[in-house]
Amino acid sequence: MCAIDSRLMSRMHVAGSVHAEVASPAPVWLTKPTDVNALTQAVWSYNANRDPDGVISIAGHKVTDLAKQFGTPSYFIDKADFFERANTWKSAFAPWSVYYAGKAFLCIKLVRWIAQAGLHLDVCSLGELQVALAAKLDPKKIGMHGSNKSVNELRTGIEAGVGRIIVDSAEEITRIEQLAAELDTKVKVMIRVTAGVEAHTHDYIATAHDDQKFGFSINGGAALVAMIRCYHSERLELLGVHSHIGSQIFDTSGFEVAARRTLKLFAQFYEATGSLMEELDLGGGFGIAYVKEDTPATAQALAANLHEIVEHECRGFGLAAPKMSIEPGRALIGPAGTAIYEVGTVKTVDIGNGMTRNYVSVDGGMSDNIRTALYGAEYSAALANRASAAEPVVSRVVGVHCESGDILVRDEFLPADIQPGDLIAIPAAGAYSRSMASNYNHVPRPGVVAVSAAGTEIMVKPETLEDLLRLDAGVEGES
């Protein structure tokens, strides 16, 4: 099979980019809608709809009112949507532990939601850990990730009493042992392994093939050596193994291979030590629908398949089923979020071969959602402040930054009559948009607002220009 350049595709089922032989700049996977005003429910939060006036509402709040009150760009999180998904995943995977992956989006109020929903939390930096501790989350429900944890980071986690540290390197084992001796304690750890699985996703978010930075490779024996070392350490309590194969994955085929190889490692560990590993974490990476063509599996289907996979592999190796956990992040918060922008300019561009594309410029861009520019992620978009009877035309939603790659939505059918002052809504913006946001071109990062039947609540305040200048030592009076 010939290799496909990952820069030209973001999902495996996308058949290609622009095809010049057809009189349309749309990629072959993007189908023209019969109703440009319709919202595909799988892409939007549970409580998003277009009201009788044609305005998109989220949890009963018109986006026109939200934009007026909170400004644009802003992110809006459907609170009831998050709790419904959290409860669905927790119920579907019971009795497994569900760790919310904090890297998707994290703030103090969200951590309190996580606690209310009865979830655990996975953090992967000192900053994420401090947010969790500031929210008063039980430290025993925190798992610490990170491929290069500093001594300070590890000390903070150990002193706080986190439930587990996922160890990523031999150097980290040494650091933890030294800190545990200094603090006269014993630290619970899991070994992060790479199972040699090629997940069907973009290279930048595939994390279990051998040639990458995370964990200990099963191939070659590094993982087993690390496990045995931790098992015999006087200062470490080895809980088990952690495996993560990537992100935005739609089926369980990769997890099946990872489980087989990981549980074989459990059997090898038992042969070497006479002791059984008690815990296995299969990570996260469960995909969501960003465009109507996406078909991710439901939590119930994923749970049924993963339960069956683990039970089958354990029988094959003659092992008792270990205590299991998973780490969904995007699957819980992604669909709950919607980003709202205001249109500034609209251009119709002749791109050759008799084709044109509308460029819809909005007041945000790659600084508030880098994913499209970083690895070609696809998104949907809709005219949000009114319904339209105009013809759907292939459009590209772009931002304010001085970069040709400043694209929020690469390809979408939007009404031909979009004009300055209109609002554009981009669904599935709850994960990785705010958490990966930057101040490129000195643009402040947007705020995050929770919306529910009870009202609105600011979760993260929007940055101001004063916030940006506050850290600049060149400001008069600073030194």
Side-chain angles (χ1 to χ4, degrees):
M1 181 181 294
C2 64
I4 300 174
D5 189 340
S6 63
R7 295 170 297 178
L8 300 180
M9 59 187 303
S10 60
R11 303 185 311 283
M12 292 303 294
H13 68 272
V14 174
S17 55
V18 173
H19 287 256
E21 67 271 20
V22 294
S24 171
V28 296
W29 59 266
L30 182 64
T31 56
K32 187 175 182 178
T34 56
D35 179 3
V36 74
N37 300 301
L39 304 182
T40 302
Q41 188 58 60
V43 177
W44 296 81
S45 71
Y46 289 139
N47 301 298
N49 60 74
R50 198 178 288 277
D51 69 19
D53 296 327
V55 180
I56 292 178
S57 293
I58 307 170
H61 300 271
K62 293 177 180 285
V63 297
T64 47
D65 295 336
L66 294 172
K68 184 179 296 184
Q69 181 178 357
F70 298 104
T72 58
S74 289
Y75 310 104
F76 297 96
I77 305 294
D78 183 340
K79 184 175 182 179
D81 182 289
F82 172 81
F83 274 97
E84 184 169 346
R85 293 180 195 275
N87 291 333
T88 295
W89 281 76
K90 183 180 176 184
S91 175
F93 278 90
W96 296 13
S97 297
V98 177
Y99 282 74
Y100 172 81
K103 65 179 182 177
F105 170 65
L106 200 66
C107 67
I108 290 173
K109 289 185 178 180
L110 182 62
V111 175
R112 292 171 182 158
W113 291 4
I114 291 166
Q116 291 172 31
L119 304 180
H120 294 65
L121 175 64
D122 149 37
V123 300
C124 58
S125 72
L126 180 57
E128 289 182 359
L129 175 60
Q130 293 288 16
V131 168
L133 297 177
K136 309 298 183 185
L137 182 68
D138 181 357
K140 292 183 177 62
K141 290 194 170 185
I142 299 175
M144 280 186 65
H145 278 278
S147 60
N148 183 23
K149 304 180 194 71
S150 68
V151 171
N152 184 37
E153 184 176 354
L154 290 168
R155 181 189 298 276
T156 302
I158 293 169
E159 290 181 338
V162 297
R164 63 189 195 184
I165 297 177
I166 293 84
V167 176
D168 202 89
S169 67
E171 288 83 2
E172 187 177 330
I173 295 174
T174 300
R175 290 171 189 165
I176 295 173
E177 286 180 319
Q178 291 172 345
L179 284 167
E182 177 186 331
L183 299 171
D184 192 22
T185 189
K186 198 165 187 177
V187 180
K188 296 180 178 181
V189 300
M190 297 184 79
I191 296 295
R192 171 76 179 258
V193 304
T194 53
V197 178
E198 294 291 343
H200 288 181
T201 189
H202 193 285
D203 284 352
Y204 290 2
I205 51 178
T207 58
H209 54 276
D210 289 319
D211 189 9
Q212 48 88 34
K213 72 173 187 174
F214 292 106
F216 298 87
S217 177
I218 293 177
N219 294 330
L224 182 60
V225 169
M227 292 168 66
I228 294 173
R229 176 182 171 184
C230 290
Y231 174 73
H232 288 295
S233 173
E234 295 181 357
R235 290 296 178 178
L236 304 181
E237 179 183 346
L238 179 61
L239 300 178
V241 167
H242 183 284
S243 170
H244 181 74
I245 64 174
S247 295
Q248 190 58 0
I249 298 168
F250 281 11
D251 60 46
T252 55
S253 58
F255 291 100
E256 181 172 5
V257 178
R260 181 178 304 120
R261 295 178 182 175
T262 303
L263 289 167
K264 181 180 179 181
L265 180 65
F266 276 42
Q268 292 170 338
F269 178 81
Y270 177 72
E271 291 175 3
T273 66
S275 181
L276 292 172
M277 283 287 87
E278 295 184 358
E279 296 188 29
L280 172 61
D281 190 310
L282 288 177
F286 309 104
I288 64 171
Y290 284 101
V291 297
K292 63 181 182 295
E293 290 78 11
D294 283 333
T295 55
T298 65
Q300 292 84 352
L302 289 167
N305 288 346
L306 288 177
H307 275 102
E308 182 179 353
I309 288 168
V310 172
E311 290 171 3
H312 178 269
E313 296 303 328
C314 284
R315 285 195 302 270
F317 288 110
L319 299 171
K323 178 181 177 182
M324 300 294 302
S325 52
I326 55 166
E327 297 172 352
R330 181 203 318 260
L332 301 185
I333 195 67
T338 304
I340 305 297
Y341 302 89
E342 182 176 332
V343 176
T345 65
V346 181
K347 298 177 183 178
T348 300
V349 177
D350 185 340
I351 62 173
N353 295 315
M355 297 184 292
T356 62
R357 178 185 281 114
N358 267 17
Y359 274 77
V360 180
S361 297
V362 297
D363 54 354
M366 62 192 298
S367 60
D368 54 77
N369 187 353
I370 190 64
R371 295 184 67 251
T372 304
L374 184 62
Y375 38 73
E378 304 288 355
Y379 280 88
S380 303
L383 176 62
N385 58 300
R386 60 183 174 88
S388 173
E391 178 75 8
V393 296
V394 178
S395 303
R396 180 162 290 172
V397 182
V398 297
V400 299
H401 296 286
C402 192
E403 296 281 347
S404 59
D406 179 24
I407 299 170
L408 286 167
V409 183
R410 190 174 305 280
D411 297 289
E412 179 62 287
F413 280 97
L414 293 173
D417 64 348
I418 284 184
Q419 57 193 351
D422 278 333
L423 297 179
I424 294 291
I426 297 180
Y432 299 107
S433 293
R434 182 55 173 81
S435 64
M436 296 177 74
S438 74
N439 293 126
Y440 184 50
N441 290 155
H442 278 62
V443 173
R445 290 177 292 180
V448 183
V449 180
V451 292
S452 67
T456 61
E457 179 183 14
I458 294 176
M459 301 182 76
V460 179
K461 297 176 183 178
E463 288 182 333
T464 66
L465 294 174
E466 289 73 21
D467 290 327
L468 299 184
L469 291 173
R470 183 172 54 85
L471 298 179
D472 194 321
V475 174
E476 186 174 352
E478 297 288 339
S479 61

